[in-house]
Amino acid sequence: MTMETIRVAFAEQNSIRDYDILIGQGLLAQAGERIAALLPCHRVAIVTDNMVAAHYLAPLEQALSKANIRHCSKILPAGEGTKTYAQLETLTHFLLEQKIERNDIIIALGGGVIGDLAGFAAAILRRGIAFVQIPTSLLAQIDSAIGGKTGINTPQGKNLIGAFHQPALVLADIDLLTSLSDRHMRAGYAEIIKYAAIMDKDFFAWLETHSKSLLARDPQTLITAISRSCAIKTAIVTNDEREQGHRALLNLGHTFGHAYETVTNYSDRLLHGEAVALGMCLAFQFSVRLNLCPQADCARLCAHIKSAGLPIDPHEIDGAPFDSDTLIDIMTQDKKARDGVIRFVLTRGIGEAFIHEQIDEAELRAFLQAPKKHKTQTDKTNIKSKQINKHKGC
């Protein structure tokens, strides 16, 4: 069985915050023995959602029981709407009622929503409890489960309330991706494209060749792509844990993307990965407008995103067009903003992202108001109708 290990090691020697990301098959069945090595008292609380629980809660509980680890579980509703104060309160009260202590471990079994919420609860409960990420979506395996960002959404924007709290272990079992819908696979793939677009032109070329086998869930292609993505994120995160500088590059596409997620109320109208894909296209197009990026690189990126079945134009979102002033107001709440000034991750080409400190608001407004490619009603609602539903993502 092929397994890759990425070590997340911070600058200080032998940091207690260092941990491993394990990437391979069959890791859920090994969860008990691997978590037992971390536990001083053999007790965990599993946090998951109702859709993931139907597939993977019982196997995880069996693995924990086999390792003689006592456990309890909390099942929350699936979806971005769970990342709220109300669900955080529900979860923390449950953990306190279960008498989860500082030496215990919280397991986040799910996608990015569960990972962010459970991680935030772990960060604040009794001023900090260890947690383990077992991500069940492609997006979580290559992005949200890694790097220690946790948090919840608010009406003012996405992830504006949270904490940095590193996991003790990440188990990225690619077998868990078999239950994921095609739509959620594509959404996760957007974040893989992001890593290549930030700083690895060769990886981008590899994706152009291997994207079909990756989206078809070929095990070795997945392990290779996930490992490379995790290695890129790890290299950035360990040098800038709290996003004071270089780590902001990981937000390529996110300033635009988060704004569109907010105006669509974090709903199934636009998944996070779809928002990132759209945001990357807009970031490249804006970079071209500012004479920073060659048009050829922008066209190449957008063509690849489109070929993966991801949105490249805001008019593809149900409910478009959206008010530019509303979008800009949301962007000023972005975590990268300073003194109300929006900072964007822009690009000089594929693999050459950089942080642009001063964005002219009038230029941004003109860009957002510029005529976009008009869609037919069928095209415009393809995200909502064609991609939602046969099987919801875990």
Side-chain angles (χ1 to χ4, degrees), residues 309-324:
L310 291 160
I312 64 171
D313 187 302
H315 287 83
E316 295 177 63
I317 307 170
D318 183 49
F322 301 99
D323 178 66
S324 58

Side-chain angles (χ1 to χ4, degrees), residues 194-236:
K194 179 196 75 176
Y195 289 118
I198 288 171
M199 60 184 299
D200 196 334
K201 194 170 185 175
D202 291 340
F203 185 34
F204 186 83
W206 184 89
L207 291 175
E208 288 177 307
T209 302
H210 294 85
S211 61
K212 288 185 178 179
S213 59
L214 187 155
L215 291 171
R217 297 167 171 80
D218 173 69
Q220 192 53 58
T221 306
L222 277 171
I223 290 171
T224 300
I226 293 169
S227 297
R228 181 59 190 145
S229 298
C230 290
I232 291 172
K233 182 161 189 177
T234 296
I236 293 174

Side-chain angles (χ1 to χ4, degrees), residues 111-159:
V113 168
I114 290 298
D116 284 358
L117 181 66
F120 190 25
I124 61 177
L125 193 76
R126 304 190 191 278
R127 298 194 177 95
I129 290 176
F131 82 113
V132 169
Q133 290 268 20
I134 304 182
T136 59
S137 70
L138 179 58
L139 191 150
Q141 289 187 359
I142 53 94
D143 187 65
S144 60
I146 305 156
K149 278 188 177 181
T150 70
I152 57 174
N153 302 329
T154 63
Q156 291 77 19
K158 189 176 174 73
N159 298 326

